[in-house]
Amino acid sequence: MNDDSSPSSRRRLARWIIALLLLLALAAAAGFGWRSWQAGQRAAAHARAAAGQQVEALQQMVDALRRDQRANARGLQDVAATNRVLRDEVLGLGQRNALLEENVARLADHSHQGAQAARREDAELLLSQAQQRLVYAGDLDGARRLYALAAGVLESMDSPGYLNLRQALVQERAAVDALGPGVRVRAAGQLAQWTTALDALPEQSAEVADAEPAWWQQMLSPLVQIRPADPQVLMARSERVAATDALQIELSLARAALERGDTQGWQLALQRVDGWLLRLWPDSPQRRSQRHALAELRGIDLRIALPELGSTLQQLRAMREGKVAP
């Protein structure tokens, strides 16, 4: 009986062990599922919290965007109001610009007329100065420069009424150019050549230079120099130095008279130069040639034979006085 119950008891024990193992497995499975469910719940809670934070952040962004939208709307309203004001101002500026253009057109017309009048006065002044230089100073080069300036001024004036003035000025400039360098320039060159030729004049006459000295002159030649004396020619060294200085002074006076165009002063100075020429150098062909050249210089009239000038200046003055239309 003990032998028969022993296997059945082992089978029952085995079944209980299996059942216990199954219960343990079920308990383990339930515990694992419970932990998994709790982990899922925690993950879901974290996800819901994160989603809530994101929704809150999005809500804040939406609120900020709404505020920005309202601010932009107010800004657009302000810009629209400003644009309306600016449009009104632009319309007003357009009207004012039209008035200004009309005024500027009138001022341009007046300024053009004023510029023409100013240039006309400049040309008149230049022509007047050119005429004064010719008549009173005999300055041909200065007059030519002034005529050229006046021609440039008249060329800048586009009015048809100034064509006759330009033609008259061309004729006057041609007449002045035909005068050449002028009598004073030629006289100055001739005087310079004459002054340079003084250095070649011999201090002794040809007869004295070629004559054979006597025996007593040869004996005294180391001590003194003996030569025939001309009562008109200065022999002493001090006298010759003083006379040479006086000659240079007279030549300077002649040049000054030449610059002034003083014909009488020129002639008197050259006459005194001729007197010093006789005192400084003895008679010789060279001295006679110099005196002949000096006489020709003394006969020069320093006054310039001016052609008929001034027609352009007269027309300009008539135009300024309103007698001739520009």
Side-chain angles (χ1 to χ4, degrees), residues 40-254:
Q41 289 296 320
R42 287 194 296 271
H46 287 302
R48 285 193 298 273
Q53 292 177 356
Q54 291 180 357
V55 169
E56 185 178 359
L58 289 175
Q59 185 66 34
Q60 293 177 357
M61 292 178 61
V62 168
D63 293 339
L65 289 174
R66 287 176 179 173
R67 288 193 299 271
D68 293 340
Q69 184 179 7
R70 287 193 294 270
N72 291 331
R74 287 193 298 270
L76 290 175
Q77 291 176 358
D78 295 338
V79 169
T82 304
N83 286 335
R84 287 193 296 272
V85 174
L86 290 176
R87 185 169 59 251
D88 295 338
E89 291 182 355
V90 167
L91 292 175
L93 287 175
Q95 295 175 356
R96 285 194 292 270
N97 286 335
L99 294 175
L100 287 175
E101 288 178 357
E102 183 179 357
N103 292 331
V104 167
R106 288 197 298 267
L107 289 175
D109 187 24
H110 292 309
S111 63
H112 180 70
Q113 295 178 359
Q116 294 281 358
R119 292 175 184 174
R120 185 170 63 245
E121 291 179 358
D122 290 341
E124 181 180 351
L125 178 61
L126 291 171
L127 291 175
S128 178
Q129 290 179 350
Q131 190 173 11
Q132 291 175 2
R133 281 185 176 271
L134 284 174
V135 175
Y136 299 107
D139 185 4
L140 291 174
D141 292 335
R144 291 190 183 101
R145 287 192 293 268
L146 290 170
Y147 271 118
L149 292 175
V153 173
L154 290 180
E155 287 294 334
S156 64
M157 302 170 73
D158 54 0
S159 178
Y162 294 98
L163 178 61
N164 295 331
L165 288 175
R166 288 194 286 269
Q167 292 177 351
L169 185 58
V170 168
Q171 296 176 358
E172 290 191 25
R173 293 183 66 186
V176 174
D177 291 337
L179 296 175
V183 63
R184 298 184 187 179
V185 176
R186 291 192 296 269
Q190 294 174 6
L191 181 61
Q193 293 179 358
W194 185 89
T195 304
T196 303
L198 290 177
D199 297 334
L201 291 179
E203 295 185 3
Q204 294 181 1
S205 61
E207 293 81 1
V208 174
D210 296 337
E212 183 70 22
W215 62 271
W216 55 272
Q217 291 179 347
Q218 295 178 4
M219 291 179 62
L220 296 176
S221 60
L223 300 176
V224 295
Q225 186 177 3
I226 301 173
R227 58 186 177 183
D230 188 345
Q232 291 185 348
V233 179
L234 300 174
M235 301 301 298
R237 180 65 180 173
S238 60
E239 293 178 347
R240 292 187 61 82
V241 170
T244 303
D245 293 340
L247 175 64
Q248 295 300 325
I249 291 174
E250 295 299 338
L251 289 173
S252 299
L253 293 175

Side-chain angles (χ1 to χ4, degrees), residues 312-324:
T312 309
L313 182 60
Q314 292 176 359
Q315 294 182 38
L316 274 174
R317 289 173 176 171
M319 189 176 295
R320 176 170 54 81
E321 294 174 357
K323 298 178 180 179
V324 179

